[in-house]
Amino acid sequence: MTGRHSVPVLLGLSALAVALNALCGCAPSIDAYEAAGRPPSIDPAYTGAVIPANIAPLNFTVREPGSEYLVEVYGSSGDHIRIASSGPGIRIPISPWRELLEKSRGTEIHFDVYVRQGEGQWVRFDRITNTIAPDDVDGYLAYRLLKPLYNKYVNIGIYQRDLHSFEETAILENNRADRACLNCHTFPNNRPDPFLLHTRSRHGLTMLVARRDTVSTVATQTEFNSSPAAYSSWHPSERLVAFSVNKVSLFFHTVGETRDVFDAASDLALYLIDSNTLTTTAGISSPDRAEVWPTWSPDGHYLYFSSAPVLPIERFDEVRYSLMRIGYDVDSGEWGKLEMVLSAEDTGLSITQPRISPDGRFLLFCMADYGSFPVYLSSSDLYLMDLVSGEYRRLGINSEQADSWHSWSSNSRWIVFSSKRRNGLMARPYLSYVDVRGKVHKPLLLPQQDPAFYDSFIRTYNVPELIAGPVQIDSRALARAVVAPERPLTARLDPRVRVTAPSPK
Amino acid sequence: MSPVSTDIRRGRAPLFFILYYLYVWLHVRPDLVYHAQQPVFFEGKAFLVDFLARPGGLTEYVGAFLLQLHYYPWAGALFVTAGAWLVYRLTRALTGVGGWRSSPGWPFIPPVLLLVLHSRYSYALHLDLALLGALLGALAYMRVPLRRVAARWCAFLVLSVLLWYTVAATYLLFAVLCGIYEAANARRRLLGLSYLACVPLAVLAHGAALQIVQADAWLLQFPYYDLYQSSGPVLLVTGALLYIFYPLAVGGEAIRQRLPGLSLLRPVAPRRGSDAASAVWALGFALLAVVPAFLLFDSDARALLELDRGARHAAWERVVEKGADLREYDVLAVYNIQQALYHVGELPERMFAFPVIANAPVISPNTLEPGSLAALSHILYELGSVNQAEHMAHEALEILGDRPSLLQRLVLINILKGRAPAARVFLGRLEKSSLYDKWVEHYRRALDSGSPLSGNAELSRISSLMPRSDSPGYLPAEVLLRLLLVQNPKNRMAFEYLMAHYLLTGQPEKIAEGIGHLNDYPEHYEYPTIPTHYEEAILLHMAGLRSQGGEDPQLPLHGRKIRPESLQRFEDFRRILRAHRDDRDAARRELAQSHGDTYWFYFAFSDPPPVQASAGPPPPVNPQQ
């Protein structure tokens, strides 16, 4: 048993040697090789993708048998990175990688993979080419990590990853916060400050609003809504937050995807931060319809959301959400007209999780066979609507498994989404480049330092959100706000809101 | 000659620790400790980094690694004994510094206390390492050849930082020992007091480093407190005695000298005797020392662990055998026994001869009993309800951590669901735990072959039981079992569990209805007669009908008959019941002797009485994935 522990040490030393070799340009040169006549099998499949110039090295594993491996990475600038390895894991040194990407912005970079078969001949595989996008992706990705498929939560954390490197830090882990459930971290305009998240623990059901060094704790239940806030969206002015209140229940399948969610009733409301007031209107809180997944248009004039007629749970697979929007004037607080944007009757599918690009041009959303919770539905795919023409299309980046939980970068040129395409169970974050014409390019799995990271990582990436910089607030302040909040607020209900029907509970 | 070498020469210590080893190996059984804790240890930097990031993490990491040795009982016992021996050596050295050089029995006390701790099955091995670290640090400090106060302070500071990082709160023992040593033994009171003042500072610093924000979490820093929360007071009290022992040992002589009244307590030096006499002394002391370990030994925990280990390794006969001897039981034990009874073909015959959970569904998830979730996952898996087995395995995985047995279950489940890539991820996780290399290799090869079910009789059998059409909903036990049986009428386990459910929830009329199922698939239900508990339920149901209608009911037994001896036994039951019509307790006492293993007894006397189980509320919601 102990003998195996020398393996990681030896591998580490080998990697160090390889890195030094690569840095000083003294990796073994290959004078003779055979051409494989095909591209190599590598994992993750970083081939034919458009990648941001500010991404960490695309470390990968060569899925070809061999005793030695050599990879050359180069671009049109003439810079070369050579990585020699005795194993199939290829780790690209970060400094030359950054330099190469910066010089190759807007052009292609190539990977030449050589594999030595046994003690004999080297084989060269066909060149792999990726394109460096002219536009950067936001520098950080915030996400929640948790294990799939459970009700009892013990270890949940919200983390942020520096996309320029492999550094991951915890924004808040629930083992610091009395094992509270943490969910729905939400940022305005891709900025890390302010931000909000929701918590559920023995200390209560609350919304945390973190701004600079302070954290406000808000109990959002009122006479209108006995359920707390759930899925949220900041208004671009940062003066208010739209959120849903839901009555969700779990149920299980005996075949296929195990878990499913049914939303028996839901409404939308606004939380006005300065006045600590909750308000709503009949158009987004109809008792005979379930409204969910609010998102603001970048100009703040419209609230987009999903809406479906309320049906009993026995007809769960008939519930299909339409995409709607309602006007709102943030200065006067006046509501505008309720409009149908895309009807489920027309699509035959359920439309959820609308997200609008910051430039206001595109609307990205999920469509699945039924329901409001696409991450559990393998039929969930991403669709893009051109808000100028109103036309929409299914994206070519979809997979056979659930593709959902998407968000935009601040420059509208990148999207990130969670996909279960690798194994059908654990979602992984993918980045896709969206060019000015709205073409969405082949997605790129978030690179990790360990090329085989995803082969043994059993947590799922949930709600990936791109942010321009790191969340700075101390996780202790957030934890304290969960466990022992100072001066917690209780939202007041706008007196103009008439409560006429039982709210979701 | 040093006291240690004297002990060794005279055979005291070797004999003591040989007996110690045998006790741990054969009586405590480290493999049961391994099964109880199923330590999570993975190779690789990612796993290590988490430990290195917090004080005490290094000790926990090494402890988690060494706990793997318990997989092999002899190796685990060897490690525990070696640790105890090191503690003994360090204790001897420290008591020497404290002036109790002439007390040969005292250094054996900490190993005995450790034996009590190791006999409790939930004791965390890394606490041994932390104790060793603190003692070693204290001894190193006491022997450091520095005379100037500033230099000694520096030595203390360096050791403090080192120990605080490696052993976390156990560092406090080191600080206290150094403080007492300086103040009481070395006559440097101010220096000693300054060390003692470090104790509250260390507590604060440790709390800050852990980013503790809950007020009630401060206690969690202290060794044994979290174990106390989960395992009761024995561990806490024993641990406290262990930690109090050392300040007394180091400072005791100085206190005794300052308090003349205590001079009578001066220990008596043993007289020089023959080696044989020493050996006898050692044997006597060892036997005496083992008394508290025996008295505090958690034999009930061992019995339950043996049962669970047997069930997880499919040693069904042994589980039934052990189940008959249980003094205490829990939901997990009941699940294990019923699963074992099914496998040995006795679930419909002897279920009520064993503990049951009265008036409860035969399978019922409860996150407050995480161990039972793992067992439930196993049962559901065998029933063919693979999706529900997956759900339970994930619940257990979240609560209990990445236990290898759960990872194995999830590999199999994902293979059965045709989700090979997910199975590979769980294999990849399991692969980092080197004890399971062969298992991982076997299933990796099976997956590589593209048809992992072929050649695997167990997987093929489970696959044949799996539902083919979806039945969505929140499925209580009865609905789920009926569903499995409807989709696969030959699923004998589902049939017997459904019948067991009817029995447990007081629905004997449904047993009578189920008898027809036996005739429909005779090759899968080879009962020569109606199984005993089913006969008992039918007789009970007939008696109920008779009392309502007055006539002898005709039940469709599909050509089967109730055995005369069963009829006679039922008549006896009713006769005794009638004889004690006015004294229910007397009836219960007498019937417990003669009919305690029958369904009639369960039906009449279980508390609460059996009634049809409700569907129950849906589970809490966490739909954020």
Side-chain angles (χ1 to χ4, degrees):
Chain A
M1 194 165 63
T2 52
R4 290 197 49 179
H5 292 274
S6 58
V7 174
V9 175
L10 289 173
L11 284 176
L13 291 173
S14 305
L16 184 64
V18 167
L20 288 171
N21 260 343
L23 286 172
C24 66
C26 47
S29 62
I30 299 169
D31 300 324
Y33 57 80
E34 284 180 1
R38 64 176 174 86
S41 171
I42 66 169
D43 183 49
Y46 295 135
T47 62
V50 178
I51 62 178
N54 60 335
I55 195 73
L58 303 185
N59 293 342
F60 61 87
T61 302
V62 182
R63 300 278 192 217
E64 301 287 352
S67 58
E68 286 183 72
Y69 298 81
L70 181 75
V71 173
E72 288 187 330
V73 188
Y74 55 95
S76 53
S77 63
D79 291 46
H80 265 64
I81 306 171
R82 306 187 83 202
I83 308 110
S85 170
S86 59
I90 303 299
R91 294 170 187 254
I92 305 169
I94 197 161
S95 293
W97 168 261
R98 285 176 177 170
E99 203 173 324
L100 176 66
L101 259 56
E102 194 50 52
K103 287 180 180 173
S104 307
R105 189 183 286 272
T107 65
E108 293 179 337
I109 61 164
H110 311 286
F111 296 71
D112 284 347
V113 177
Y114 300 82
V115 177
R116 190 177 190 192
Q117 297 181 333
E119 293 302 309
Q121 185 73 24
W122 284 91
V123 173
R124 177 182 165 168
F125 291 87
D126 289 356
R127 179 176 300 166
I128 292 170
T129 298
N130 292 290
T131 304
I132 312 301
D135 309 286
D136 281 353
V137 67
D138 287 337
Y140 283 79
L141 185 68
Y143 43 80
R144 191 170 74 145
L145 286 178
L146 70 170
K147 283 183 183 146
L149 208 69
Y150 60 85
N151 302 330
K152 176 83 176 173
Y153 40 86
V154 177
N155 291 297
I156 293 178
I158 297 175
Y159 302 85
Q160 55 187 344
R161 163 76 186 272
D162 179 356
L163 293 178
H164 202 218
S165 71
F166 298 108
E167 188 181 347
E168 180 189 78
T169 52
I171 295 173
L172 178 60
E173 291 174 315
N174 75 334
N175 61 3
R176 305 252 185 271
D178 208 14
R179 302 289 176 191
C181 182
L182 315 171
N183 54 65
C184 298
H185 49 282
T186 312
F187 304 91
N189 310 319
N190 298 85
R191 296 203 297 109
D193 185 89
F195 83 100
L196 70 81
L197 60 91
H198 302 295
T199 71
R200 186 167 67 231
S201 72
R202 63 188 172 104
H203 305 283
L205 308 157
T206 52
M207 178 166 77
L208 303 187
V209 182
R211 195 184 288 272
R212 288 180 285 280
D213 296 331
T214 60
V215 186
S216 307
T217 310
V218 187
T220 49
Q221 296 99 317
T222 67
E223 189 186 352
F224 165 73
N225 59 310
S226 51
S227 290
Y231 313 119
S232 310
S233 174
W234 283 88
H235 189 271
S237 69
E238 299 176 12
R239 288 158 55 186
L240 59 94
V241 174
F243 62 83
S244 64
V245 289
N246 306 73
K247 183 182 179 183
V248 290
S249 53
L250 289 173
F251 65 100
F252 300 89
H253 295 272
T254 53
V255 172
E257 178 80 56
T258 297
R259 197 161 78 155
D260 208 339
V261 173
F262 179 73
D263 194 347
S266 55
D267 288 324
L268 298 181
L270 305 182
Y271 175 64
L272 313 178
I273 294 172
D274 291 341
S275 61
N276 185 37
T277 303
L278 186 145
T279 188
T280 187
T281 186
I284 58 171
S285 58
S286 167
D288 54 356
R289 291 191 72 83
E291 297 92 354
V292 69
W293 299 116
T295 191
W296 288 100
S297 60
D299 60 11
H301 293 159
Y302 290 98
L303 180 66
Y304 285 73
F305 58 95
S306 300
S307 172
V310 172
L311 294 176
I313 192 167
E314 292 76 19
R315 297 173 61 189
F316 73 92
D317 55 355
E318 297 172 33
V319 178
R320 292 187 180 83
Y321 287 78
S322 296
L323 181 62
M324 303 186 81
R325 73 175 188 178
I326 188 169
Y328 184 74
D329 186 317
V330 70
D331 294 320
S332 66
E334 293 298 319
W335 293 94
K337 195 172 67 173
L338 184 66
E339 299 171 68
M340 177 67 73
V341 179
L342 185 59
S343 168
E345 284 187 14
D346 294 338
T347 64
L349 297 168
S350 184
I351 306 161
T352 53
Q353 297 184 345
R355 298 295 295 266
I356 300 173
S357 60
D359 62 7
R361 175 75 192 277
F362 299 112
L363 192 156
L364 188 62
F365 56 96
C366 288
M367 284 213 283
D369 289 347
Y370 66 88
S372 66
F373 211 69
V375 74
Y376 290 160
L377 303 168
S378 58
S379 62
S380 172
D381 284 331
L382 295 173
Y383 288 73
L384 191 72
M385 176 183 282
D386 186 330
L387 287 176
V388 177
S389 66
E391 293 176 353
Y392 72 95
R393 68 180 193 279
R394 181 180 178 276
L395 297 179
I397 60 172
N398 286 297
S399 69
E400 294 296 306
Q401 302 294 339
D403 298 293
S404 63
W405 286 127
H406 44 275
S407 72
W408 290 88
S409 70
S410 57
N411 60 5
S412 303
R413 293 281 75 83
W414 291 92
I415 58 169
V416 64
F417 61 97
S418 270
S419 175
K420 293 183 176 177
R421 65 188 60 195
R422 276 182 74 86
N423 56 54
L425 180 63
M426 303 133 196
R428 309 302 194 204
Y430 287 79
L431 293 161
S432 273
Y433 183 64
V434 186
D435 64 28
V436 288
R437 289 168 292 136
K439 183 183 178 187
V440 182
H441 293 259
K442 182 182 175 184
L444 178 80
L445 178 61
L446 179 69
Q448 302 287 349
Q449 190 159 32
D450 176 4
F453 172 83
Y454 294 108
D455 293 348
S456 60
F457 189 67
I458 60 173
R459 297 173 90 185
T460 193
Y461 284 82
N462 179 226
V463 199
E465 292 281 325
L466 287 162
I467 43 177
V471 171
Q472 300 281 7
I473 194 160
D474 188 348
S475 63
R476 276 174 295 191
L478 288 168
R480 198 172 293 112
V482 176
V483 176
E486 293 175 13
R487 295 188 294 279
L489 298 170
T490 300
R492 292 186 297 108
L493 183 62
D494 183 346
R496 293 174 297 177
V497 174
R498 289 178 56 213
V499 180
T500 56
S503 64
K505 186 174 184 179
Chain B
M1 186 174 289
S2 75
V4 173
S5 58
T6 304
D7 276 345
I8 293 171
R9 185 176 59 79
R10 293 185 175 178
R12 289 195 285 243
L15 191 58
F16 176 83
F17 285 106
I18 287 171
L19 292 171
Y20 197 97
Y21 173 75
L22 293 173
Y23 181 85
V24 175
W25 180 23
L26 301 173
H27 189 66
V28 177
R29 290 188 45 196
D31 55 327
L32 293 179
V33 176
Y34 180 88
H35 183 75
Q37 301 187 20
Q38 292 193 44
V40 175
F41 181 86
F42 296 118
E43 294 168 1
K45 186 180 155 194
F47 185 72
L48 172 63
V49 165
D50 281 349
F51 286 92
L52 294 181
R54 62 177 188 271
L58 190 61
T59 318
E60 289 175 32
Y61 178 80
V62 177
F65 171 68
L66 291 172
L67 198 52
Q68 308 287 305
L69 294 175
H70 283 50
Y71 189 81
Y72 308 103
W74 64 269
L78 195 62
F79 174 74
V80 170
T81 308
W85 181 75
L86 279 172
V87 166
Y88 158 80
R89 292 284 309 254
L90 289 167
T91 307
R92 190 99 223 182
L94 284 166
T95 51
V97 173
W100 284 17
R101 193 176 293 270
S102 56
S103 311
W106 290 100
F108 288 99
I109 290 176
V112 170
L113 293 172
L114 285 174
L115 194 60
V116 173
L117 293 170
H118 282 285
S119 301
R120 303 300 293 185
Y121 294 102
S122 54
Y123 175 66
L125 188 65
H126 70 83
L127 292 173
D128 275 14
L129 301 174
L131 177 68
L132 280 169
L135 297 181
L136 197 61
L139 190 66
Y141 174 81
M142 290 172 196
R143 291 193 172 167
V144 69
L146 298 171
R147 292 185 178 278
R148 296 181 61 185
V149 168
R152 293 193 73 80
W153 230 108
C154 286
F156 176 78
L157 195 63
V158 169
L159 284 168
S160 291
V161 171
L162 196 65
L163 283 167
W164 178 75
Y165 177 69
T166 52
V167 304
T170 311
Y171 156 79
L172 301 178
L173 178 65
F174 161 81
V176 168
L177 291 181
C178 292
I180 289 174
Y181 170 77
E182 292 292 6
N185 295 69
R187 311 294 172 90
R188 289 183 281 259
R189 285 183 188 165
L190 279 178
L191 187 64
L193 290 173
S194 69
Y195 291 173
L196 293 174
C198 287
V199 170
L201 291 176
V203 172
L204 288 171
H206 188 69
L210 286 178
Q211 300 188 353
I212 289 174
V213 293
Q214 305 102 294
D216 60 346
W218 286 94
L219 283 171
L220 285 171
Q221 298 179 72
F222 294 97
Y224 305 102
Y225 184 75
D226 55 341
L227 287 173
Y228 161 68
Q229 287 191 316
S230 60
S231 307
V234 172
L235 281 173
L236 182 68
V237 171
T238 310
L241 287 173
L242 186 62
Y243 276 64
I244 290 167
F245 171 86
Y246 287 100
L248 290 176
V250 171
E253 180 64 13
I255 295 167
R256 194 189 61 75
Q257 285 175 2
R258 280 159 186 70
L259 299 171
L262 296 178
S263 59
L264 291 175
L265 295 179
R266 185 179 181 81
V268 179
R271 283 176 296 178
R272 286 184 175 278
S274 67
D275 288 352
S278 289
V280 171
W281 175 93
L283 185 61
F285 184 83
L287 289 174
L288 194 66
V290 164
V291 168
F294 256 120
L295 290 177
L296 295 170
F297 180 71
D298 197 345
S299 56
D300 290 329
R302 187 179 68 177
L304 292 171
L305 283 168
E306 283 179 319
L307 202 74
D308 190 49
R309 190 172 184 280
R312 299 291 77 77
H313 289 81
W316 305 117
E317 286 85 1
R318 202 165 76 226
V319 173
V320 173
E321 184 188 318
K322 293 281 178 191
D325 299 332
L326 279 186
R327 288 190 309 180
E328 289 185 5
Y329 64 91
D330 54 13
V331 175
L332 175 61
V334 171
Y335 281 165
N336 287 331
I337 290 168
Q338 289 171 353
Q339 193 178 8
L341 285 170
Y342 162 73
H343 279 282
V344 300
E346 295 191 340
L347 186 63
E349 303 286 348
R350 295 178 61 204
M351 185 171 82
F352 290 101
F354 294 86
V356 296
I357 306 295
N359 191 29
V362 67
I363 45 177
S364 176
N366 183 353
T367 52
L368 297 177
E369 301 249 15
S372 72
L373 294 176
L376 196 53
S377 175
H378 192 181
I379 292 170
L380 289 161
Y381 170 85
E382 291 202 307
L383 282 164
S385 183
V386 171
N387 270 19
Q388 280 59 38
E390 182 188 23
H391 180 205
M392 290 302 113
H394 275 287
E395 293 287 351
L397 192 75
E398 174 64 10
I399 299 169
L400 299 171
D402 298 351
R403 290 186 168 191
S405 60
L406 294 168
L407 297 173
Q408 287 176 302
R409 176 75 49 221
L410 285 163
V411 169
L412 300 178
I413 285 169
N414 280 287
I415 288 175
L416 284 165
K417 292 187 73 167
R419 212 159 47 189
R424 286 185 190 278
V425 177
F426 288 111
L427 273 179
R429 187 72 170 152
L430 189 62
E431 189 179 31
K432 293 176 183 294
S433 182
S434 51
L435 289 171
Y436 300 88
D437 283 352
K438 286 182 181 169
W439 197 93
V440 169
E441 190 53 36
H442 173 79
Y443 280 99
R444 184 155 281 156
R445 275 204 304 272
L447 286 167
D448 289 344
S449 75
S451 53
L453 299 189
S454 66
N456 189 319
E458 175 70 3
L459 284 178
S460 299
R461 189 182 65 78
I462 303 293
S463 177
S464 72
L465 299 175
M466 287 170 65
R468 302 297 165 201
S469 59
D470 189 21
S471 300
Y474 177 71
L475 306 177
E478 183 175 338
V479 176
L480 178 66
L481 292 166
R482 288 178 71 98
L483 190 81
L484 290 169
L485 203 54
V486 165
Q487 296 216 4
N488 189 341
K490 299 170 186 174
N491 189 338
R492 190 179 127 168
M493 187 175 180
F495 174 76
E496 291 194 1
Y497 266 71
L498 181 62
M499 295 293 114
H501 177 80
Y502 289 151
L503 293 169
L504 287 168
T505 52
Q507 304 180 73
E509 71 282 1
K510 291 187 177 172
I511 299 292
E513 290 169 15
I515 293 300
H517 195 79
L518 305 181
N519 285 18
D520 293 342
Y521 303 94
E523 71 279 14
H524 288 93
Y525 300 94
E526 297 167 342
Y527 307 118
T529 59
I530 298 175
T532 305
H533 289 323
Y534 302 170
E535 283 188 327
E536 291 166 354
I538 291 165
L539 286 170
L540 193 67
H541 178 52
M542 288 168 74
L545 291 177
R546 208 175 291 127
S547 66
Q548 289 168 13
E551 293 179 7
D552 225 14
Q554 292 298 312
L555 288 173
L557 295 181
H558 303 273
R560 295 173 187 258
K561 289 183 177 174
I562 305 289
R563 284 168 292 175
E565 56 266 35
S566 299
L567 285 166
Q568 182 58 50
R569 206 172 177 212
F570 188 47
E571 283 309 312
D572 291 346
F573 181 87
R574 287 159 52 115
R575 179 177 48 74
I576 296 169
L577 205 58
R578 279 196 299 271
H580 297 287
R581 186 173 298 154
D582 301 325
D583 188 349
R584 186 174 164 81
D585 286 343
R588 183 191 178 98
R589 278 195 299 276
E590 186 171 346
L591 286 166
Q593 299 295 319
S594 60
H595 292 77
D597 59 350
T598 66
Y599 180 53
W600 308 313
F601 185 82
Y602 167 79
F603 194 88
F605 296 107
S606 72
D607 185 22
V611 290
Q612 188 170 345
S614 67
V621 178
N622 180 30
Q624 297 297 330
Q625 295 170 37

